Amino acid sequence: MKPILLQGHERSITQIKYNREGDLLFSVAKDTVVNGWYSVNGERLGTYNGHTGAVWCVDCDWDTKNVLTGSADNSCRLWDCETGKQLALLETSSAVRTCGFDFSGNIIMFSTDKQMGYQCFLNFFDLRDPQQIKDNQPYMSVPCSESKITSAVWGPLGEFVIAGHENGEINQFSAKSGEVLKKIKEHTKQINDMQSSVDLTMVISASKDNTAKLFDSTSLDHIKTFKTERPVNSAAISPIMDHVVMGGGQEAMEVTTTSTRIGKFEARFFHAAYEEEFGRVKGHFGPINCVAFHPDGKSYSSGGEDGYVRIHYFDPHYFDFELEA
């Protein structure tokens, strides 16, 4: 089936996110726009307007009531999903790099960049307490002095946040005390993206060291490694099959020196158990910055440096095979 092409951004896509039901897809880019789309036909529902800088991250809560975005304009904003109204503005000292709702939708976390003399912080707000929002005072702020957080996801039951760092480390931060519960360093370079499986038992990390790795969420045990020849910008776990999709390409600044034929801007499918690549999907005219599986597992979407979001439908059981030993 032909992919659906979503043209709602003028600059490169930074993140895409499905809601839990999968009927909506949210995309953010370096052009201040936050778009909401119907995933079934690619119709644009509307935009969430207010940011004045590149938007780095987006998340949607469990019942698709609120949307959270973090931007380089030094703010994290909470929106009403249906009306597009801004519900809260949380100002920071530096750019907001990652953000996320916990499972209940009551607690939000976001991390800020280490820049302009400011340290990287992981902030936690309780949305049930309007005073925290009003005073712009998180109930907990965890400093990360060593290496800044580049990507983070909530662990199961909202007990901790799993954060990937610039130096390749992965840490578990407790949402109650802020202490580091576990710390591992399996990657040699920066972690570009972290995504969890649908049941939150596993996370996958995508790194500049040309690999994506699968970990157990609670113990942070390293389970699998998927190797490529290029930096991996994003990786996602299929909700119904033992499949992983990865997107990457060269650094954006090296793209102009290569033709699209050898640019290798494909999404790559790997078998989660065998660690073997079994498929590639071409499409983007530039590196793929983010990938996401639809919650029903029958389609995935990718956002590229070219500013397009593409939704690809496929039959996942077509790839249901046993690799020869």
Side-chain angles (χ1 to χ4, degrees), residues 148-297:
K148 79 165 190 184
I149 294 175
T150 48
S151 184
V153 290
W154 278 95
L157 304 173
E159 287 172 358
F160 50 80
V161 166
I162 305 164
H165 294 254
E166 201 171 27
N167 61 359
E169 272 180 7
I170 296 176
N171 288 334
Q172 266 183 8
F173 292 97
S174 164
K176 306 273 187 294
S177 64
E179 63 185 322
V180 177
L181 303 174
K182 287 198 173 58
K183 188 181 208 166
I184 53 163
K185 191 168 191 298
E186 292 283 346
H187 286 289
T188 54
K189 290 186 182 165
Q190 174 180 319
I191 291 170
N192 291 325
D193 185 33
M194 303 272 297
Q195 289 194 35
S196 43
S197 59
V198 69
D199 58 0
L200 302 183
T201 56
M202 295 187 295
V203 291
I204 191 164
S205 59
S207 169
K208 253 186 187 163
D209 66 6
N210 300 5
T211 64
K213 289 178 191 272
L214 202 57
F215 298 93
D216 181 278
S217 300
T218 314
S219 65
L220 285 191
D221 288 341
H222 174 219
I223 307 169
K224 298 283 175 189
T225 299
F226 309 99
K227 293 190 179 77
T228 68
E229 324 79 67
R230 316 248 155 177
V232 186
N233 293 337
S234 183
I237 305 165
S238 167
I240 55 167
M241 309 289 285
D242 292 329
H243 296 165
V244 164
V245 66
M246 286 155 57
Q250 321 97 306
E251 291 286 310
M253 53 191 175
E254 294 164 20
V255 170
T256 47
T257 58
T258 53
S259 76
T260 46
R261 194 165 41 83
I262 54 168
K264 289 241 171 62
F265 305 127
E266 301 117 331
R268 314 169 125 209
F269 282 81
F270 280 76
H271 196 286
Y274 303 124
E275 302 181 340
E276 294 207 19
E277 186 179 353
F278 64 81
R280 288 188 186 187
V281 182
K282 281 197 171 66
H284 285 280
F285 295 100
I288 294 173
N289 290 342
C290 45
V291 288
F293 266 107
H294 189 288
D296 71 4

Side-chain angles (χ1 to χ4, degrees), residues 10-310:
E10 293 171 6
R11 294 195 58 198
S12 55
I13 309 294
T14 49
Q15 197 177 22
I16 48 180
K17 207 43 111 26
Y18 283 98
N19 65 344
R20 185 177 55 94
E21 292 87 7
D23 58 333
L24 299 183
L25 177 64
F26 299 95
S27 64
V28 291
K30 291 183 183 171
D31 61 3
T32 77
V33 180
V34 183
N35 280 321
W37 313 82
Y38 278 121
S39 65
V40 66
N41 59 0
E43 183 189 334
R44 183 158 75 165
L45 264 174
T47 56
Y48 301 89
N49 295 329
H51 279 298
T52 54
V55 189
W56 290 117
C57 53
V58 62
D59 196 24
C60 177
D61 63 2
W62 201 77
D63 48 8
T64 321
K65 214 162 77 200
N66 298 330
V67 176
L68 188 67
T69 54
S71 162
D73 64 7
N74 298 1
S75 77
C76 186
R77 295 172 197 241
L78 185 71
W79 312 85
D80 183 305
C81 181
E82 195 179 353
T83 62
K85 186 169 163 264
Q86 184 175 302
L87 301 176
L89 166 63
L90 305 168
E91 292 184 326
T92 58
S93 316
S94 54
V96 177
R97 180 65 54 177
T98 66
C99 63
F101 287 99
D102 80 334
F103 194 68
S104 67
N106 293 326
I107 313 279
I108 59 165
M109 65 87 186
F110 62 88
S111 75
T112 58
D113 271 359
K114 185 177 177 176
Q115 66 189 66
M116 300 185 298
Y118 292 102
Q119 212 175 331
C120 163
F121 282 99
L122 181 61
N123 295 319
F124 293 88
F125 280 86
D126 191 329
L127 298 178
R128 293 165 295 190
D129 180 4
Q131 202 60 42
Q132 286 182 25
I133 310 291
K134 200 168 150 217
D135 300 345
N136 201 12
Q137 204 53 47
Y139 77 79
M140 191 167 66
S141 193
V142 185
C144 310
S145 47
E146 284 177 35
S147 178
K148 79 165 190 184
I149 294 175
T150 48
S151 184
V153 290
W154 278 95
L157 304 173
E159 287 172 358
F160 50 80
V161 166
I162 305 164
H165 294 254
E166 201 171 27
N167 61 359
E169 272 180 7
I170 296 176
N171 288 334
Q172 266 183 8
F173 292 97
S174 164
K176 306 273 187 294
S177 64
E179 63 185 322
V180 177
L181 303 174
K182 287 198 173 58
K183 188 181 208 166
I184 53 163
K185 191 168 191 298
E186 292 283 346
H187 286 289
T188 54
K189 290 186 182 165
Q190 174 180 319
I191 291 170
N192 291 325
D193 185 33
M194 303 272 297
Q195 289 194 35
S196 43
S197 59
V198 69
D199 58 0
L200 302 183
T201 56
M202 295 187 295
V203 291
I204 191 164
S205 59
S207 169
K208 253 186 187 163
D209 66 6
N210 300 5
T211 64
K213 289 178 191 272
L214 202 57
F215 298 93
D216 181 278
S217 300
T218 314
S219 65
L220 285 191
D221 288 341
H222 174 219
I223 307 169
K224 298 283 175 189
T225 299
F226 309 99
K227 293 190 179 77
T228 68
E229 324 79 67
R230 316 248 155 177
V232 186
N233 293 337
S234 183
I237 305 165
S238 167
I240 55 167
M241 309 289 285
D242 292 329
H243 296 165
V244 164
V245 66
M246 286 155 57
Q250 321 97 306
E251 291 286 310
M253 53 191 175
E254 294 164 20
V255 170
T256 47
T257 58
T258 53
S259 76
T260 46
R261 194 165 41 83
I262 54 168
K264 289 241 171 62
F265 305 127
E266 301 117 331
R268 314 169 125 209
F269 282 81
F270 280 76
H271 196 286
Y274 303 124
E275 302 181 340
E276 294 207 19
E277 186 179 353
F278 64 81
R280 288 188 186 187
V281 182
K282 281 197 171 66
H284 285 280
F285 295 100
I288 294 173
N289 290 342
C290 45
V291 288
F293 266 107
H294 189 288
D296 71 4
K298 296 190 179 125
S299 65
Y300 80 95
S301 52
S302 54
E305 194 71 30
D306 54 9
Y308 294 121
V309 177
R310 303 171 75 96

